[in-house]
Amino acid sequence: MGHPMKIRAASSNGVTEVKVLMNHVMETGLRKDASGALIPALFITDVTAKLNDAVVLQAQWSQAVSKNPYLSFKVKGGKPGDKVAISWADNSGDSRTDEAVVS
Amino acid sequence: MNNEHQASRRGFLRQTGLVALAVSAVTLLPRMAQAAWNKTAFSAKTLEDAYKALGAGAPAESADIQVIASDIAENGAVVPVQAISKIPNTTQISFLIDKNPTALTAQFDLGPDMLPEVSTRLKMAQTSKVIALVKADGKYFTAAKEIKVTLGGCGG
């Protein structure tokens, strides 16, 4: 299920700017714990962004995206009250979708 | 009586079957549209291998792509980067980091309504070039910016 994301979407002059802060460890698989054992990789691999149920952006990520990933993008269209949905899936099979209303 | 019962049961099964089909079609569609995670490209250790795995060949440098980031990153674990493409019909923007253990860090496929720019935060193992790889009209272009890292963000 993961932890909730923070999503902000604001429209101005016909363009909606979306800013997302996800909540994920983004473990590289290169770090060692206190006993010297490798911590297995755990990171978001796929991200999808939708505006009013239409996919506008799809991303594939590696473990080199920072912990608690930040993403921002601009999409034409969208007006106050419209719906933005962001989904991610990680390499463990976990996934999460959060929604926000365009302001 | 019995016949009628069977008929309605069959009808019910047919209906639920249709509903199940419709539901699976709706849930499967977005997945089909999304390309599978490109393991070969994400495992590539050098820029050349990553370009090859992405089908980008030897991309041309372009002055129409901007990589926006600060010159010095104090913390390699969190390096804010932005790429803006002014090339018409930009459909994809990827970030690659030359000296990371694996070069390709993130790939963004832009729908037709997207403005050709994305911002995110990346991990850098050491001082390196950060490259924005842009796909437009099926061709690939790059722009790079050197970012100095004073504290690496990959090891522990």
Side-chain angles (χ1 to χ4, degrees):
Chain A
M1 283 299 287
H3 301 286
M5 299 174 223
K6 285 182 192 160
I7 305 172
R8 273 203 195 141
S11 77
S12 87
N13 299 325
V15 172
T16 299
E17 181 170 22
V18 181
K19 295 179 178 177
V20 189
L21 194 57
M22 301 173 193
N23 202 325
H24 198 282
V25 292
M26 298 300 286
E27 196 58 64
T28 59
L30 302 172
R31 295 197 317 140
K32 289 172 181 166
D33 64 17
S35 67
L38 275 179
I39 305 169
L42 177 61
F43 59 97
I44 292 173
T45 54
D46 293 279
V47 179
T48 303
K50 291 181 184 177
L51 177 63
N52 293 330
D53 296 325
V55 173
V56 293
L57 171 72
Q58 288 187 331
Q60 294 183 23
W61 284 359
S62 73
Q63 55 274 57
V65 172
S66 299
K67 179 180 176 178
N68 296 333
Y70 171 80
L71 165 66
S72 85
F73 60 90
K74 291 174 183 166
V75 59
K76 286 177 223 159
K79 55 186 186 303
D82 283 355
K83 195 177 77 179
V84 170
I86 310 288
S87 308
W88 58 250
D90 71 16
N91 65 327
S92 76
D94 196 5
S95 65
R96 176 166 188 102
T97 299
D98 285 285
E99 292 181 352
V101 174
V102 176
S103 62
Chain B
M1 186 70 193
N2 199 16
N3 268 347
E4 197 179 310
H5 177 72
Q6 274 188 343
S8 70
R9 183 167 169 269
R10 205 164 291 144
F12 171 76
L13 284 176
R14 199 177 298 134
Q15 275 183 346
T16 48
L18 279 177
V19 168
L21 260 181
V23 166
S24 63
V26 164
T27 51
L28 280 176
L29 266 178
R31 288 209 168 269
M32 289 196 298
Q34 176 145 25
W37 195 71
N38 193 337
K39 195 172 178 212
T40 321
F42 281 111
S43 312
K45 301 215 183 308
T46 64
L47 282 180
E48 289 71 27
D49 287 351
Y51 289 154
K52 214 182 284 172
L54 289 168
E61 277 181 39
S62 169
D64 291 328
I65 307 167
Q66 269 182 289
V67 182
I68 300 170
S70 57
D71 296 339
I72 298 177
E74 280 183 21
N75 181 0
V78 187
V79 183
V81 293
Q82 181 182 25
I84 301 176
S85 167
K86 295 199 175 85
I87 304 173
N89 302 322
T90 293
T91 54
Q92 188 184 81
I93 298 177
S94 304
F95 289 103
L96 295 96
I97 298 174
D98 195 5
K99 293 196 178 149
N100 266 12
T102 51
L104 179 62
T105 63
Q107 174 187 316
F108 298 88
D109 288 295
L110 315 179
D113 289 336
M114 285 282 295
L115 299 195
E117 54 179 87
V118 283
S119 302
T120 186
R121 294 174 188 158
L122 303 174
K123 293 176 203 161
M124 292 180 66
Q126 54 178 298
T127 297
S128 171
K129 269 189 200 163
V130 174
I131 294 129
L133 176 71
V134 167
K135 184 182 183 184
D137 277 333
K139 290 183 193 149
Y140 288 89
F141 304 91
T142 62
K145 181 181 168 74
E146 174 102 1
I147 301 178
K148 278 205 169 81
V149 173
T150 46
L151 179 68
C154 278

